[in-house]
Amino acid sequence: MTDADRLGVFAGSLADERLDADTAIARAAGHGFAACLFGSVFEVSPTLDPGEIAARRDAAAEQGVEVAVGSVNLHPFRVGQDARLLAAGDGDVRAGLARMVETSALLPGRELLVIVGRIEDRYDRLTPWPEQLDLTARLLRRLAPVLRDHGLRLALKTHEEITGGEVARLVDAVGADVACASLDPVNLLVNLEDPVAAASRLGAAVAQLILDDAVLVLDGDTATRLFCPVGEGQVDWPALIDTLRPHSPTRWVELHRGQFTAAPFDPGWHADHPDLPLSDYAEVLRQAVRCTAALDPARLAGLRAHQARPTHRLAATTAAARSLLTPGSGRIHHR
């Protein structure tokens, strides 16, 4: 089986509307994906019923699809209010987290993709972001024993609120046996990080790679992220695939939805990104200038019109991803 044959997809990227688990699995099979990733095991079985989870896992396997799951959001200020965890633990969030991990282990995947916040958390002036990261590390360390007991790791996603360097420090703080990185290049762009450079810095910590693409469009002092099919944006996908190939990460197609901006010329924005390497800033901004200049008004209008319908780019992104992952296949070129 080639890397292209192993390509998986986020369940939420298979339709613009929310799908139930069985429909998502059937659509993943119909598109030829080898795996379907749900946000958490609660989407496979809302009550964490082991029998229901096993039945859904086995039915998916008969269709040639592996069921994988992530974790609930593990931001320390938010996790205690998760109604699903409270119900699973009879009012005890820690018990609910333990049950989530235990039932996730019934599925084949060994890495649970996890988000540790939202973009607004980074700019919270009441509790500075570094303090939130310290609290996040403490929370993740509390989960370490149950993760080890079940042979699972948390794959910390480079989401819009967190940089590659911050993910690396969390992995170091928690331990590589229970934590790793899920590299999401289009999210790195929001923090003006060069995805290829970030991948090189994270190295073997990267256990998952998320495939999507985007351009940063400059308008005055603001850079806006607009999504597009893989190969049509500013992520250097051939270089990124080659950089991570020695580490054999699991690859997932995810069609993002979130509309975010960056302020590359604002000293305040830079103060909130103290670890941003100057070389990353220069490269991402250079690409943004190039992409902005290359976008004619009709193309820009088309991109903006399709942001609310991410599945518009599913076929093109899937084809490009498979081309990238197939040796000697006339791969896509970085624009």
Side-chain angles (χ1 to χ4, degrees), residues 230-286:
V230 164
E232 297 183 16
Q234 69 183 75
V235 177
D236 188 347
W237 274 108
L240 192 51
I241 293 291
D242 287 345
T243 297
L244 292 175
R245 197 181 303 278
H247 311 304
S248 301
T250 305
R251 285 93 170 192
W252 298 100
V253 167
E254 181 188 10
L255 305 179
H256 297 70
R257 289 172 165 79
Q259 298 297 291
F260 300 111
T261 61
F265 311 113
D266 180 358
W269 186 92
H270 283 275
D272 288 321
H273 297 78
D275 298 332
L276 176 63
L278 180 59
S279 57
D280 283 42
Y281 174 78
E283 175 60 19
V284 174
L285 198 57
R286 183 185 72 83

Side-chain angles (χ1 to χ4, degrees), residues 37-155:
L37 176 63
F38 293 90
S40 76
V41 69
F42 290 103
E43 295 179 23
V44 180
S45 172
T47 60
L48 304 187
D49 181 306
E52 184 179 17
I53 294 168
R56 193 152 275 142
R57 174 199 65 203
D58 295 344
E62 290 178 1
Q63 299 175 67
V65 175
E66 182 177 289
V67 175
V69 294
S71 162
V72 299
N73 191 311
L74 291 180
H75 187 275
F77 299 165
R78 203 166 284 119
V79 67
Q81 302 169 15
D82 192 307
R84 298 166 299 177
L85 294 176
L86 289 167
D90 293 326
D92 183 339
V93 168
R94 292 184 67 172
L97 283 167
R99 278 199 66 206
M100 180 193 75
V101 171
E102 291 164 6
T103 51
S104 296
L106 297 172
L107 297 166
R110 297 296 90 189
E111 283 88 29
L112 306 180
L113 184 146
V114 61
I115 293 167
V116 297
R118 298 174 181 163
I119 195 166
E120 57 266 29
D121 296 324
R122 186 176 192 92
Y123 304 103
D124 184 345
R125 298 308 181 214
L126 184 61
T127 306
W129 180 239
E131 293 182 23
Q132 295 178 57
L133 289 176
D134 289 342
L135 292 170
T136 299
R138 289 172 58 185
L139 171 62
L140 300 184
R141 281 194 291 265
R142 290 194 183 104
L143 282 175
V146 69
L147 289 165
R148 291 190 182 101
D149 287 346
H150 294 281
L152 298 179
R153 294 196 296 172
L154 296 174

Side-chain angles (χ1 to χ4, degrees), residues 2 32 37 71 110 155 182 186 219 278 332:
T2 67
L37 176 63
S71 162
R110 297 296 90 189
S182 179
V186 298
D219 184 7
L278 180 59
I332 65 172

Side-chain angles (χ1 to χ4, degrees), residues 185-186 189 194-196 211-217 224-240 283-284 286-292 294-295 299 303 307 313 316-317 320 324 332-335:
V186 298
L189 294 178
D194 176 11
V196 177
L211 287 99
D212 198 0
D213 214 338
V215 293
L216 288 180
V217 177
T224 300
R225 181 181 66 177
L226 295 178
F227 300 115
C228 55
V230 164
E232 297 183 16
Q234 69 183 75
V235 177
D236 188 347
W237 274 108
L240 192 51
E283 175 60 19
V284 174
R286 183 185 72 83
Q287 293 283 358
V289 169
R290 179 186 61 80
C291 288
T292 302
L295 283 173
R299 171 65 172 151
L303 282 178
Q307 297 305 293
R313 60 184 191 275
T317 286
L324 278 164
I332 65 172
H333 298 285
H334 182 225
R335 287 173 174 253

